[in-house]
Amino acid sequence: MRILMSAAIVLTVATGAVAQQRAATQDYKFTYSYPAEAARIPALRGWLEADKAKLRASIATDAAEGRRAARKGGYPFNAYEAQKTWKVVTDTPRFLSLSGDVYSFTGGAHGNPGSLTLVWDKSAGRPLDPKAIFLSSAALQAAVSQPYCAKLDAERTARRGARPAGDDMFSQCPKVGDLTVLLGSSNRKRIDRIGLIADPYVAGPYAEGAYEVTLPVTPAVLRAVKPAYRAAFSIGR
């Protein structure tokens, strides 16, 4: 379906794999998509549609303000951009786990990529931040810190050609609170993997991109899960 509306081109596509909307105006470009697994859950689809509307309204307002500021300041205006793409990490009997890739451009030197996470609790019929499934950030931090930091430094070393050293933030290991936490599964029955994403500027400079580390659920991780959710987890390899 293609609709011309107030100088905006709006393209909505619904297939068996994804629901996507694209819009383009003189002020901004907008893309939002989510997978069929999410669309099949009415309450989750409603949540995503509301999130989509909020994001588009925000970029439209910000871009209009940016154009007015450029006109007033006498400098060129570059169209803004907002993208959000949800993907399935895993779909278990208890949880639908999604990852989100986001990108925004608001006229600076470069765009800003980032990551998101969302877990839909099928039993409760509501969205969850994966971190809320654990007893606390400190408990999860204690359970994953050693293996995570070791894998992160190995990847930093591979990208930089030298092992991180020093007291600067790009040499230190970030806290779980600064990371995107993904819940994954190798068998689509129980959660047995944890993904940890450090967006640009969290574990390294912009040029290095994001760092993603995947860890198995260990007994220590399982102990850090709130009792109400432990049956949905299992020890991984």
Side-chain angles (χ1 to χ4, degrees):
M1 180 172 64
R2 192 177 188 183
I3 305 171
L4 184 62
M5 184 183 303
S6 301
I9 300 298
V10 180
L11 180 63
T12 301
V13 178
T15 69
V18 67
Q20 182 181 81
Q21 184 177 93
R22 297 177 181 175
T25 75
Q26 292 181 337
D27 289 347
Y28 68 87
K29 294 179 180 179
F30 174 78
T31 304
Y32 193 105
S33 64
Y34 54 88
E37 289 88 341
R40 284 195 288 265
I41 301 174
L44 177 54
R45 183 174 66 246
W47 187 96
L48 292 165
E49 287 293 323
D51 183 58
K52 178 178 70 177
K54 181 179 179 180
L55 179 60
R56 185 173 177 193
S58 177
I59 191 66
T61 298
D62 292 346
E65 292 177 354
R67 180 176 287 280
R68 286 193 293 269
R71 185 183 301 116
K72 183 178 180 180
Y75 54 85
F77 171 76
N78 294 313
Y80 285 21
E81 188 169 356
Q83 299 176 14
K84 185 179 286 190
T85 303
W86 293 102
K87 300 175 183 177
V88 174
V89 179
T90 194
D91 191 1
T92 69
R94 178 69 185 268
F95 297 127
L96 175 61
S97 176
L98 302 177
S99 65
D101 296 325
V102 294
Y103 173 84
S104 65
F105 176 74
T106 56
H110 55 70
N112 296 301
S115 61
L116 297 171
T117 181
L118 171 68
V119 169
W120 186 262
D121 185 345
K122 298 176 185 178
S123 298
R126 64 187 180 94
L128 289 172
D129 179 338
K131 294 175 185 176
I133 290 172
F134 296 90
L135 293 170
S136 66
S137 289
L140 181 57
Q141 178 76 36
V144 303
S145 181
Q146 184 174 354
Y148 169 69
C149 294
K151 284 196 170 186
L152 174 63
D153 276 351
E155 181 59 28
R156 281 167 160 171
T157 300
R159 295 189 193 184
R160 299 174 186 176
R163 187 170 181 81
D167 296 328
D168 64 286
M169 63 180 292
F170 295 155
S171 296
Q172 300 302 305
C173 191
K175 300 295 185 183
V176 166
D178 297 325
L179 305 175
T180 299
V181 177
L182 304 178
L183 301 186
S185 175
S186 62
N187 54 27
R188 296 172 66 90
K189 295 178 180 179
R190 291 183 174 84
I191 302 301
D192 61 4
R193 294 174 176 174
I194 303 292
L196 301 166
I197 302 176
D199 289 330
Y201 296 123
V202 174
Y206 181 87
E208 289 183 0
Y211 284 92
E212 182 170 356
V213 170
T214 300
L215 301 173
V217 169
T218 62
V221 171
L222 192 59
R223 288 192 296 270
V225 176
K226 290 178 179 176
Y229 300 116
R230 282 180 190 160
F233 283 72
S234 65
I235 304 299
R237 295 183 178 178

